[in-house]
């Protein structure tokens, strides 16, 4: 049986949308059960479809680039909503839909008690749709549509708890920061359109080479660089690159499934995907790539460090996401786009897994997220523990887990760039290597604090209120199967996917034709990757030991809690800086926002109210009024005065006239 | 070519007007008045829809032409017709009126007949403005609109309504009176005709062009409104009743933009080219400056009013972008799309605020909070419109802005740079307001007693939401009919008509 | 020899005097009325001068009617003045400023 | 020559009396000077062979209109002092303006005199009054009719404004009624009841009175 | 000698009826004074019909030795005068009853005034113009004073009288110069011809121009242009509403024709001179009229200032001296009179007994109690402000067109800016009626169906003429071109 391809694509895209709409509008009518079944069905169809597509693309050479309908015509140019099914998009499809499916299932358990259950399902289905639009688009407009669409859903979901002040603050922040990125993104699209006359990927790529040495009119900047940087600005927003990263930690205000799906596995990687998708353009600008390296490097190391000082379980994972996104960005900057995508994929699985597991812990802890109040949970919830351990190992890059392969590739790429003396190479090497250890520290700090040691949750804490006394009499227990099943299903690829995919990604076989790795990468990475060999060789390289050292440090600190106190005291100022996120939040919240408001108030009161309205509009009215009051006095009431005025009139006219006569 | 036995345009114009007059005399019977006005509005909409469907997108020039002598002693002809540029506005106008009338059904309890009648008259007048091919017909209806609007703001407005109504009236009258002189002048220089298309062919000296341009600027910039002459809008909107704000924002402002396209650009193209820098600067000031001003507004309607100014900045920006001799097609078409879209979005925003106002009787953002918990359906609609207002792709708000920004990159990158700041600022003021109003804890008893949208409100919001999404997802539907018109306009403006003495 | 201009200038002087009279007597209504009579005299002078020097009788006819009309006018003016007197209990003309501004 | 002398003599009298009209302190003097001015003008008109109008001026104007003026001025009780307030203050300006007007007029008349280039020859054998009469009743019959209407109007208005219909307070003698008087109408017998003395002390009234006092 | 009286039949009829009315009034019982009203209406209707009967299209008829002219303008304007007169009588009828004015005399003097207007309109000779003017003026003095016991009325009458006499003096002085300078001509067409001859012979026209100054001053007094306007507000305010209605409406028709006859019929060749003067006066009138009106609280006084500003517009129209300009002027005045009539009509309806609806605040909340009257007043105000689709707009439009056509673009711009200021106070009336809450009860006293329906028709006419002004415009053009 063969399914018509176009129908298949449509089914993939539209089934989440349809289920989202039905659940969204009629959720109140059809009840929770039908709602979640529908949502899951929608995503399931997508997932199955995606795998079929992936299969056909990879093994049957399927390629589709066509239009669905004509979106807009301007002059002689027309823009259509179209689909591009190639290797890159098929891979992304598979990743997105499978994580999404897992999250859908997981949500049944996680959200069971929550208000707005149907709304939640509607949102995540909608998200899936938007993400698919983003991934499958064959042009910039549609890309932007999906781009902003996922942003919207992210906004909605971060603020899912609409009554919670911190949540609705976080979602606004997330949206606005993203908008700053999109500002650049849109301008980049504008430049592309202005120069190539099209927004279709294919056309743009083919035309772009004409502008290799073009410069921006009125400046001395290289056009392509400017375009690349503007577009990357969008990626910085979406993929939370420094300094537009501040929204991501706050986004943890959303329910945990969302953190897994949107803020770890899929949406935040859209920036990475976009750069990979546009690799032909980026390859033309070394400057842009260098900038990406620097941005990624900063993320990778400096934001990773922040993960160490966090106590909120989700925040630790969130900072780790930032750090990993930094890895991907470095890979992009090194021209190793396929590697970035590889890391994207592995990261999607293990980071999704970590979040889901964290969620499972949170359920068990009755929505307590502070790790200082956990500990020793390993024996109560073994599945969660094991899966999370797998995730952490993968994250830390311990062979043979998936993360090892992708991270190792990135390290190699960085080294390669350094070796070739390309700009940013040194920085890249320094940051990626250092952050290997950082990664291990924070991920295992999390594991130890949560699952090992003292059962701190038994301490009586009063912040739950008086009527809640003794609620901890119930032991923490393993989450229901709808929660653990996704954990297990995610743990499998987290552990294994590297084995199967590593070589294909590095040789770019899996993405060939849609992602063009930089020339130096292609020429220098020609050797065949054999996973087993790689794992074995891994133990001869430094990174693995760095990671193990990190784990060791985490363990030592775990065993000697006083060490950390001492350390904190020793580096107090640094600690404060770290705790305050390098003051980046303050920069936005306490500097930019007030300045913007003050500026607005200034313009309003001075410009609008005082100058335009006060002086000009009401001022002229007042002048007329004033004149009116003066001139009415002419009518004094004395008839003689009236007569005098007439006589004066005559005299004026006469004088006027004599001038005429004698002129 | 087109079936025009019925004088469709005349019908579209006069059916609502006559309905309005009938309603006026329906007098005391409120329900009868409501019934007739709904019928009138829907009839108008159906007629305009027929026109729209019959409209031949590939035909260059005007269609459904009607030309009868009206006032021969002044050479005024009752000359109507639509082309690609006016077509969408005609439809928009009649559509919005339907929503406004429905929105007013339950809310308006005093002077029902007068209220509905004023709106029906407005519709008819505005349709006529969009259809007029004779400058004087245009002018007559252009000004006639002031009367019902003045009454609408003044009678059903809130506390400061008198000031607002007066300001609105005089502000707009100032511009239009100057335009009147110019039209008369053009009448003479183009050998005694008020035909707008005859004006296009009249050569003028640069000085004359600049002066005419300035007069037109006052007429249309006030309506749009552009930056330094905008202050009537933030006063008129908050004071006007919901329906008034909807019509004002959705259509009346568009007449300014339409006037620019119909009069300013083709009649004095050389002046337009020469002064385009100034106009663009003013537009950008409107976008950025007003954007910032919007952020700090405490009154929801005032905020949306300011945001309208900011969005209309895109219209003027798009209209005055040139690439060499030619108007920038992208930007120009974007300007039109932006107008249509803003018509839907701003009407919807005002409707939303009106819905809340009817329940709490306050427009202050500070008096709200946590509306979503009490009115989930409403909150969803409001979210959609807020997103559209901040230009989210997939909603109509995006398309126009996108096109104008794309166009301005082609002219000068820096223009696009400033224009694109609306992405940030627009989202900031809209969503910040949304956050303060809709999200959060319910913290006062007024909000606590709010009930979700009723049927009439639902219908209105649904219609608008449909339009917003339809236009965002498939703008081609709207754009297709205007292609030829835009092309004609670009060609018209590309010609110089400089008369060198 | 006395020419036409002599008479015209004489009438102009009368006219100027009447204007001065109106201007001088800001508060005196009666004198204003008299000044107006002077003005009419100047007018009549003009007509008669022209009529006489042009040998054209029409000017005199005009004067004839002016005189007639002036008589009727005086009657009416007087009637109004009496009314005013009655209503204001003695005519202090300065009180005649109820209508102003 | 004699004409010249007469012209100047009359002119001077005319101008002086005209000035006195506006300058005299007492309005009655003004009126009298005005009459003098009219009489002098009448003399000047006779010099111009306009006998009929000269006479009419004296008859109609001096005889009727000016007497009316005089009557009004005397009837009205005029406070001369307040009337002349601001007189001296206004004088310089008034003089200036008057002189400006005069200068302008004279300048025009002197430098660009009215040119008489065509004179209608009239028959000198007919007297001025005769001529006027002819014209009035032939060519100018229409204005004559109108003048009559104006006079009628003047009459109607003057009467309407000043004539008061007999009000009830006015005491008129009605002869017929007096004559037709009857005996019974003269005396009316009125019966009255004898007064009863009652002493009622109404406390409330008393209190009220106290309060009101 | 042309002694045919055919063309003058309507006037003769009116005069006859007038005299009969005086007689009837003298002998009639106080209770039957209503006959006067009916008689007045009959007179006017008779005049109207006879006027129609007398008129021969396309032919200029002369009578009374050519001193009486019946051309298209005369006929048209007389018809309008009769019509307006009838409407005025219908409006004031009940008011006059209520106020216990001298009914018989009121209508008699009113008819005198009408007769004066008719004479002015048909005058073909400067003497007749003067006599007609005086007939009108004297009647108006009488009318203003007719509320005998009212201090304000008598004061207004006195002021009107003094200033009117002064203006007549000025006018006569001017006429005397024109008479002399044109070698003794009074007949308008011969004055015109003579001036033509003078100019051809390059004879200096100094005294002519001199005369024109005074004539213009005298004429502009009638129109009420600044600085000859001072009587207007006081008389408008001081007179009883009925009289203000007469002065504010019908007389304007005659005054404008009067000015046209004088300036265009006789002195057209001096156009360059007098149009400059007119422009100055118009300029001042627009400023003073519009600006001072803003400060007024009395509607009558405000309408007085508004009249000044409208006359400023008319002066602008006259200034162009073109056919379009003059037809615009005629159109303007006709529509203005129609508009003002409706406005005064509403005020009359709202006044009763001792109560005079004259403060702007008296109209508060009128829309709530009497939507139809409020609607009519709304139309009036927007028409006065010149907002389409009301007829006042086309009046302004035509004047502006004439201005632009003759190159007075700056004047046109000035005029529109001033009418913007003017809109302010018209809007205030609308505001009071529609936006304010009623604070005292408003009673419509008139129950006469005729008066009411006339008012409604009058109001509708503003709208209908605003939509289809073509016929009226053509008529106005024909008045000028013949």
């Amino acid at each position: 049986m063969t399914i018509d391809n176009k129908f298949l694509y449509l089914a993939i895209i539209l089934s989440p949308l349809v289920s989202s709409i039905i659940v969204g509008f009629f959720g109140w009518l059809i009840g929770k059960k039908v709602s979640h079944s529908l949502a899951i069905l929608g995503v399931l169809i997508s997932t199955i479809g995606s795998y079929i597509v992936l299969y056909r693309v990879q093994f049957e050479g399927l390629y589709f680039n066509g239009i669905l309908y004509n979106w807009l015509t301007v002059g002689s140019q027309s823009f259509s909503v179209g689909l591009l099914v190639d290797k890159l998009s098929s891979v992304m499809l598979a990743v997105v839909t499978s994580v999404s499916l897992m999250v859908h299932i997981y949500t049944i358990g996680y959200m069971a008690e929550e208000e707005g259950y149907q709304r939640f399902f509607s949102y995540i289905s909608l998200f899936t749709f938007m993400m698919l639009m983003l991934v499958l688009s064959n042009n910039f407009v549609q890309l932007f549509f999906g781009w902003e669409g996922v942003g919207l859903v992210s906004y909605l979901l971060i603020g899912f708890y609409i009554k919670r002040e911190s949540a609705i603050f976080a979602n606004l922040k997330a949206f606005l920061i993203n908008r700053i990125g999109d500002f650049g993104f849109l301008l980049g699209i504008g430049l592309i359109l202005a120069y190539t006359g099209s927004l279709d990927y294919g056309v743009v790529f083919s035309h772009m080479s004409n502008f290799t040495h073009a410069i921006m009119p009125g400046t001395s900047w290289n056009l392509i660089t400017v375009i690349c940087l503007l577009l990357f600005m969008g990626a910085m927003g979406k993929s939370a690159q420094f300094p537009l990263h501040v929204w991501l930690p706050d986004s943890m205000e959303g329910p945990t499934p969302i953190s897994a799906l949107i803020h770890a596995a899929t949406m935040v990687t859209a920036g990475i995907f976009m750069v990979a998708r546009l690799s032909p353009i980026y390859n033309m600008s070394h400057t842009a790539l260098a900038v990406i390296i620097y941005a990624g490097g900063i993320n990778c190391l400096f934001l990773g460090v922040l993960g160490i000082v966090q106590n909120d379980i989700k925040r630790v994972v969130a900072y780790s996401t930032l750090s990993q996104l930094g890895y991907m960005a470095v890979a992009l900057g090194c021209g190793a786009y396929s590697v970035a995508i590889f890391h994207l994929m592995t990261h999607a699985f293990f980071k999704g897994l970590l979040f889901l597991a964290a969620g499972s812990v949170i359920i068990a802890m009755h929505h307590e997220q502070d790790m200082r109040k956990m500990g020793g949970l390993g024996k109560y919830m073994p599945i969660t523990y094991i899966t999370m351990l797998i995730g952490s190992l993968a994250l830390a890059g311990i062979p043979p887990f998936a993360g090892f392969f992708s991270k190792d590739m990135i390290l190699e790429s960085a080294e390669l760039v350094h070796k070739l003396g390309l700009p940013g190479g040194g920085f890249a090497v320094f940051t990626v290597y250092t952050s290997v250890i950082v990664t291990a520290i924070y991920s295992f700090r999390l594991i130890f604090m949560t699952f090992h040691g003292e059962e701190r949750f038994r301490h009586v804490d009063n912040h739950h209120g008086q009527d809640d006394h003794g609620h901890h009499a119930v032991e923490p227990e393993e989450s229901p199967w709808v929660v653990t099943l996704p954990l297990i299903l995610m743990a499998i690829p987290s552990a294994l996917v590297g084995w199967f995919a590593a070589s294909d990604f590095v040789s770019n076989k899996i993405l060939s034709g849609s992602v063009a790795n930089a020339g130096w990468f292609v020429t220098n990475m020609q050797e065949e990757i054999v996973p087993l060999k790689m794992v074995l060789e891994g133990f001869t390289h430094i990174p693995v030991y760095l990671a193990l050292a990190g784990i060791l440090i985490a363990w030592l600190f775990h065993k000697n809690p006083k060490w950390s106190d001492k350390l904190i005291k020793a580096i107090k100022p640094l600690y404060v800086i770290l705790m305050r996120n390098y003051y980046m939040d303050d920069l936005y919240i306490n500097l930019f926002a007030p300045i913007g408001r003050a500026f607005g108030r200034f313009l309003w009161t001075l410009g609008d109210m005082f100058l335009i309205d006060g002086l000009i509009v009401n001022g002229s009215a007042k002048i007329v009024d004033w004149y009116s009051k003066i001139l009415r006095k002419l009518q004094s009431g004395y008839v003689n005065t009236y007569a005098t005025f007439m006589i004066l009139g005559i005299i004026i006219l006469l004088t006027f006239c004599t001038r005429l006569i004698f002129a | 070519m087109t079936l025009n036995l019925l004088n469709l345009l005349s019908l579209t114009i006069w059916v609502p007007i006559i309905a309005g007059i009938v309603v006026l005399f329906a007098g005391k019977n409120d329900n009868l008045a409501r019934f007739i006005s709904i019928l009138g509005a829907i009839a108008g909409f159906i007629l305009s829809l027929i026109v729209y469907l019959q409209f031949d997108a590939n035909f260059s020039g005007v269609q459904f032409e009607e030309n009868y002598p009206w006032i021969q002693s002044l050479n005024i002809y009752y000359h109507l017709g639509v082309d690609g540029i006016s077509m969408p506005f005609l439809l928009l106008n009649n559509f919005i009126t339907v929503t406004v009338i429905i929105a007013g059904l339950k809310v308006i309890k005093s002077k029902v007949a007068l209220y509905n009648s004023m709106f029906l008259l407005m519709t008819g007048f505005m349709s006529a403005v969009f259809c007029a091919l004779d400058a004087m017909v245009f002018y007559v209806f252009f000004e006639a609109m002031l009367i019902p609007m003045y009454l609408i703001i003044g009678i059903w407005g809130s506390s400061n309504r008198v000031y607002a109504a007066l300001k609105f009236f005089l502000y707009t009258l100032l511009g239009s009176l100057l335009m009147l002189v110019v039209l008369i002048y053009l009448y003479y220089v183009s050998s005694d005709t008020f035909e707008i298309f005859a004006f296009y062919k009249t050569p003028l000296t640069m000085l004359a062009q600049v002066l005419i341009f300035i007069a037109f600027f006052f007429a249309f910039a006030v309506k749009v409104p552009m930056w330094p002459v905008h202050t009537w809008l933030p006063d008129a909107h908050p004071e006007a009743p919901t329906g008034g704000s909807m019509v004002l924002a959705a259509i009346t402002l568009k007449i300014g933009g339409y006037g620019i396209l119909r009069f300013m650009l083709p009649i004095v193209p050389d002046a337009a080219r020469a002064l385009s820098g100034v106009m663009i600067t003013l537009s950008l000031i409107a976008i950025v400056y007003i954007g910032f001003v919007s952020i700090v507004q405490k009154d929801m309607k005032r905020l949306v009013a300011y945001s309208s100014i900011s969005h209309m900045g895109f219209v003027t920006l798009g209209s005055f972008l040139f690439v060499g001799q030619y108007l920038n097609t992208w930007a120009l078409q974007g300007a039109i799309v932006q107008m249509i879209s803003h018509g839907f979005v701003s009407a919807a925003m005002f409707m939303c605020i009106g819905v809340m106002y009817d329940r709490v009787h306050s427009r202050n953002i500070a008096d709200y909070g946590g509306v979503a918990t009490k009115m989930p359906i409403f909150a969803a609609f409001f979210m959609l419109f807020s997103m559209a207002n901040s230009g989210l792709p997939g909603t109509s708000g995006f398309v126009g802005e996108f096109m104008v920004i794309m166009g301005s990159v082609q002219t000068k990158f820096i223009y696009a740079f400033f224009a694109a700041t609306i992405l940030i600022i627009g989202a900031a003021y809209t969503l910040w307001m949304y956050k303060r109003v809709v999200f959060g804890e319910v913290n006062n008893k007024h909000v606590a007693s709010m009930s979700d949208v009723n049927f009439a409100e639902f219908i209105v919001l649904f219609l608008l939401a449909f339009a917003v999404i339809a236009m965002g997802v498939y703008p081609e539907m709207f754009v297709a009919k205007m292609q030829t018109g835009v092309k004609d306009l670009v060609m018209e403006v590309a010609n110089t008509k400089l008369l060198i003495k | 020899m006395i020419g036409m201009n002599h008479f015209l200038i004489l009438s102009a002087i009368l006219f100027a005097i009447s204007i001065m009279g109106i201007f001088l007597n800001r508060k005196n209504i009666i004198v204003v009325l008299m000044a107006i009579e002077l003005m009419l005299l100047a007018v009549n002078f003009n007509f008669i001068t022209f009529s006489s020097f042009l040998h054209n009788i029409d000017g005199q006819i005009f004067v004839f009617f002016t005189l007639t009309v002036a008589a009727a006018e005086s009657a009416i003016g007087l009637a109004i003045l009496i009314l005013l007197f009655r209503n204001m209990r003695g005519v202090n003309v300065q009180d005649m400023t109820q209508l102003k501004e | 020559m004699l004409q010249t002398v007469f012209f100047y003599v009359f002119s001077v009298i005319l101008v002086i009396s005209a000035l006195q009209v506006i300058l005299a302190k007492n309005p009655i003097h003004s009126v009298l000077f005005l009459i003098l001015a009219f009489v002098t003008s009448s003399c000047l008109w006779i010099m111009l062979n306009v006998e009929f109008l000269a006479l009419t001026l004296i008859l109609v104007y001096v005889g009727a209109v000016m007497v009316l003026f005089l009557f009004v001025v005397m009837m009205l009780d005029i406070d001369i002092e307040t009337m002349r307030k601001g007189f001296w203050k206004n004088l310089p300006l008034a003089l200036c303006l008057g002189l400006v007007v005069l200068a302008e007029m004279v300048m025009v008349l002197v430098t660009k005199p009215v040119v008489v280039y065509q004179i209608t020859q009239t028959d000198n054998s007919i007297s001025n009054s005769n001529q006027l009469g002819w014209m009035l009743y032939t060519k100018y019959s229409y204005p004559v009719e109108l003048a009559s209407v104006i006079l009628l109007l003047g009459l109607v208005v003057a009467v309407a404004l000043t004539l008061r219909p007999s009000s009830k307070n006015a005491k008129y003698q009605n002869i017929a009624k007096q004559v037709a008087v009857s005996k019974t109408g003269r005396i009316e017998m009125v019966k009255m009841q004898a007064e009863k003395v009652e002493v009622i002390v109404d406390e409330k009234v008393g209190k009220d009175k106290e309060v009101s006092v | 000698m042309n002694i045919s009286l055919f063309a003058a039949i309507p006037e003769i009829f009116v005069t006859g009826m007038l005299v009969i009315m005086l007689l009837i009034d003298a002998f009639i019982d106080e209770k039957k004074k209503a006959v006067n009203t009916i008689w007045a209406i009959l007179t006017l209707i008779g005049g109207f019909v006879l006027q129609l009967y007398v008129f021969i299209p396309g032919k200029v008829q002369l009578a009374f030795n050519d001193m009486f002219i019946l051309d298209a303008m005369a006929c048209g304007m007389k018809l309008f005068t009769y019509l307006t007169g009838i409407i005025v009588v219908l409006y004031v009828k009940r008011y006059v009853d209520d106020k216990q004015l001298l009914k018989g005399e009121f209508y008699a003097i009113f008819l005198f005034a009408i007769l004066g207007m008719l004479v002015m309109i048909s005058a073909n000779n400067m003497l007749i113009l003067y006599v007609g003017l005086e007939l009108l003026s004297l009647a108006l003095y009488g009318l203003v004073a007719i509320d005998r016991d009212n201090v304000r009325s008598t004061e207004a009458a006195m002021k009107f009288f003094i200033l009117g006499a002064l203006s007549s003096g000025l006018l006569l002085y001017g006429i005397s110069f024109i008479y002399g300078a044109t070698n003794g001509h009074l007949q308008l067409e011969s004055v015109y011809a003579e001036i033509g001859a003078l100019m051809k012979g390059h004879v200096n026209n100094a005294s002519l121009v001199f005369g024109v100054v005074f004539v213009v001053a005298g004429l502009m007094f009638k129109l009420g242009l600044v600085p000859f306007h001072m009587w207007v507000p006081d008389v408008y305010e001081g007179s009883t509403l009925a009289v203000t209605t007469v002065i504010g409406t019908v007389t304007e028709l005659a005054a404008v024709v009067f000015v046209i006859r004088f300036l265009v019929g006789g002195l057209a060749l001096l156009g360059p001179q007098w149009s400059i003067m007119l422009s100055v006066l118009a300029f001042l009138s627009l400023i003073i009229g519009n600006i001072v009106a803003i400060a007024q609280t009395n509607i009558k006084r405000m309408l007085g200032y508004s009249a000044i500003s409208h006359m400023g517009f008319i002066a602008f129209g006259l200034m162009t001296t073109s056919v379009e300009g003059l037809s615009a002027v005629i159109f303007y005045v006709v529509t203005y009179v129609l508009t003002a009539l409706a406005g005064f009509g509403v005020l009359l309806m709202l006044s009763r007994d001792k109560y005079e609806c004259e403060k702007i605040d008296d109209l508060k909340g009128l829309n709530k109690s009497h939507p139809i009257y409020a609607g009519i007043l709304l139309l009036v105000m927007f028409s006065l402000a010149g907002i389409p689709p009301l007829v006042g707009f086309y009046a302004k439009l035509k004047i502006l067109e004439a201005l632009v056509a003759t190159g007075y673009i700056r004047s046109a711009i000035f005029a529109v800016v001033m009418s913007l200021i003017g809109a302010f106070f018209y809007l205030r009336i609308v505001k009071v009626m529609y936006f304010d809450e009623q604070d005292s009860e408003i009673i419509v006293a008139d129950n006469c169906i005729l008066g009411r329906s006339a008012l409604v028709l009058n109001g509708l006419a503003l709208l209908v003429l605003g939509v289809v002004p073509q016929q009226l415009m053509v008529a106005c053009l024909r008045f000028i071109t013949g």
Side-chain angles (χ1 to χ4, degrees), chain A residues 284-374:
Chain A
M284 283 187 259
S285 171
H286 290 206
T287 322
L289 289 180
V291 171
I292 295 175
I293 287 183
Y294 277 106
I298 292 172
N299 251 47
C300 180
L301 175 59
F302 295 102
L303 300 183
V305 171
L306 297 180
I308 303 177
V309 298
Q310 301 300 322
N311 290 321
D312 184 314
I313 185 169
K314 279 177 70 183
R315 279 188 174 253
V316 176
V317 190
Y319 279 104
S320 112
T321 308
L322 285 173
S323 174
Q324 298 307 308
L325 287 169
Y327 271 109
M328 295 178 218
V330 170
L332 293 175
C334 297
Y337 307 102
S338 60
V339 174
I341 295 293
F342 182 34
H343 194 59
L344 186 160
M345 185 178 85
T346 55
H347 175 257
F349 290 121
F350 64 69
K351 190 51 63 65
L353 168 62
L354 281 175
F355 266 117
L356 295 183
S360 173
V361 171
I362 291 168
I363 297 172
M365 296 305 297
H366 301 277
H367 294 274
E368 176 57 67
Q369 302 190 2
D370 194 334
M371 292 193 296
R372 283 168 301 188
K373 297 190 176 104
M374 300 174 186

Side-chain angles (χ1 to χ4, degrees), chain B residues 103-133:
Chain B
L105 283 183
K106 284 264 164 56
V107 183
I108 298 298
K109 295 196 175 70
S110 73
K111 299 176 194 157
V112 177
L114 190 60
Y115 180 86
N116 285 322
S117 143
M118 286 302 128
F119 279 107
L120 289 171
L121 290 181
M122 280 288 281
T123 323
F125 292 168
M126 287 187 294
S127 295
V129 164
F130 291 125
C131 295
L133 293 181

Side-chain angles (χ1 to χ4, degrees), chain A residues 124-141:
Chain A
I124 52 175
S125 290
L126 183 64
F127 172 80
T128 313
F129 163 72
M130 289 294 180
M131 197 65 207
L132 293 175
M133 284 299 277
L134 192 160
V135 167
L136 282 172
S137 80
N138 70 346
N139 61 71
F140 283 90
V141 186

Side-chain angles (χ1 to χ4, degrees), chain E residues 331-353:
Chain E
F331 184 79
Y332 198 105
V333 73
V334 167
T335 54
Y336 171 75
V337 164
L338 204 60
T339 314
L341 202 53
F344 283 118
V346 173
L347 296 183
L348 280 166
M349 295 285 161
L350 301 178
S351 303
R352 58 186 189 277
D353 253 355

Side-chain angles (χ1 to χ4, degrees), chain A residues 269-292:
Chain A
T269 59
I272 309 300
F273 164 77
M274 185 266 288
V275 176
R277 177 55 96 195
L278 304 183
S279 51
I281 303 177
Y282 277 90
N283 278 335
M284 283 187 259
S285 171
H286 290 206
T287 322
L289 289 180
V291 171
I292 295 175

